[in-house]
Amino acid sequence: MFDRRKYKKYARMQLKGRWSTPILMTLICCAIIMFLEAPDFKEFFTEYLNMMESSPSITQNDGNFYSELRSFAALLIEYVILYAQIFVYIKMSKSPEPVHFSDFVEGFNNWARGILAGLWESLWTFLWSLLFIIPGIVKHYAYSQTKFLVTEFPNLSITKAMKISIAITNGHKADLFILDLSFIGWLFLSMIPCGAGLLWLVPYRELTLTNAFHSLLKDAVAVGMVTSDDLAGRYE
């Protein structure tokens, strides 16, 4: 049974006395993402000002090429740091032992799988979004557990992880959507002052989602929807 209140309660318990590493990890990741996306924001505001001033636009193919290349590289780096964070949250969700910054560093060992899984998931979400925005959103939640599966089960192929994600989210995509919505109020509060609250909200949300993943997978295994063979015998 999907119980978002229980997942949130567990997250608060799991974070108690162990906030320092998730907060530091979140701070570093936010700083990296802001640095990577700064050029795009600059270009956006420059184009906006030019439009307001009715300045003629100048097409620079070379500039556009390097801008797109930079954006693509930034996306790959964001996948890497996302999967490094997931590695830490999975560890926190499975053991009461303290986590350290070295665990976050260890998570970067998954950089290749993180990039491949991120690209594969984004590609399929994008393709479904071409039909209309609603199918894209539905498939986003269908594929949402792929990142957890790829991280927890190193021998699991990315395509197989996506198939398992589709299976375990069957009937629960609306639950996952509502779970996301339940953090909107906290998101607005976390923006005061200057977004500092995100340092606490992000770990709380991500650990809640990790708990939801464990519950979905456990239920799927219990009814035989997913077997140990599917998970390469690594699920306990």
Side-chain angles (χ1 to χ4, degrees):
M1 178 180 178
F2 195 96
D3 188 345
R4 65 178 183 276
R5 293 184 178 85
K6 180 177 69 174
Y7 308 146
K8 289 183 173 182
K9 178 182 177 181
Y10 285 170
R12 292 191 295 270
M13 293 171 57
Q14 291 157 349
L15 285 164
K16 187 175 182 180
R18 300 196 293 176
W19 279 99
S20 58
T21 295
I23 287 177
L24 178 59
M25 182 172 65
T26 303
L27 178 61
I28 291 174
C29 292
C30 287
I32 293 174
I33 292 174
M34 289 177 63
F35 175 78
L36 293 173
E37 296 184 353
D40 292 328
F41 281 114
K42 181 180 178 181
E43 290 180 6
F44 172 79
F45 284 114
T46 299
E47 292 178 2
Y48 175 76
L49 291 174
N50 289 338
M51 182 182 65
M52 294 296 293
E53 295 172 358
S54 299
S55 300
S57 60
I58 301 175
T59 302
Q60 298 180 348
N61 293 331
D62 290 344
N64 290 338
F65 172 76
Y66 287 115
S67 176
E68 293 174 1
L69 184 62
R70 184 187 64 243
S71 297
F72 182 70
L75 179 64
L76 300 185
I77 294 173
E78 289 177 17
Y79 287 146
V80 172
I81 61 178
L82 168 64
Y83 277 75
Q85 291 179 84
I86 292 173
F87 179 83
V88 175
Y89 291 126
I90 285 180
K91 184 171 183 178
M92 292 184 69
S93 68
K94 298 179 71 174
S95 170
E97 296 298 320
V99 289
H100 307 283
F101 187 73
S102 59
D103 295 311
F104 177 51
V105 175
E106 184 181 352
F108 282 92
N109 292 332
N110 296 325
W111 67 270
R113 282 169 63 79
I115 289 175
L116 291 174
L119 289 174
W120 191 243
E121 180 181 344
S122 297
L123 172 63
W124 281 100
T125 302
F126 169 74
L127 292 175
W128 279 101
S129 298
L130 293 177
L131 297 178
F132 197 60
I133 189 171
I134 300 301
I137 294 174
V138 171
K139 289 302 179 179
H140 163 74
Y141 284 101
Y143 304 147
S144 63
Q145 307 306 298
T146 303
K147 54 184 176 290
F148 299 109
L149 290 159
V150 168
T151 303
E152 183 167 1
F153 304 103
N155 295 328
L156 188 64
S157 71
I158 293 169
T159 54
K160 184 65 175 180
M162 184 174 287
K163 291 178 181 178
I164 294 175
S165 177
I166 294 171
I168 67 177
T169 57
N170 185 33
H172 295 291
K173 289 183 282 291
D175 293 322
L176 290 167
F177 177 68
I178 293 172
L179 179 59
D180 272 341
L181 289 180
S182 70
F183 285 99
I184 289 182
W186 287 109
L187 177 61
F188 286 119
L189 289 175
S190 69
M191 301 306 293
I192 305 173
C194 301
L198 289 172
L199 298 180
W200 284 265
L201 176 61
V202 171
Y204 176 37
R205 176 181 178 275
E206 294 303 319
L207 199 48
T208 298
L209 295 179
T210 305
N211 291 330
F213 156 70
H214 285 304
S215 179
L216 290 173
L217 183 57
K218 182 178 179 181
D219 290 346
V221 170
V223 298
M225 183 184 299
V226 178
T227 68
S228 59
D229 289 337
D230 293 328
L231 299 167
R234 300 183 65 87
Y235 184 74
E236 298 179 358

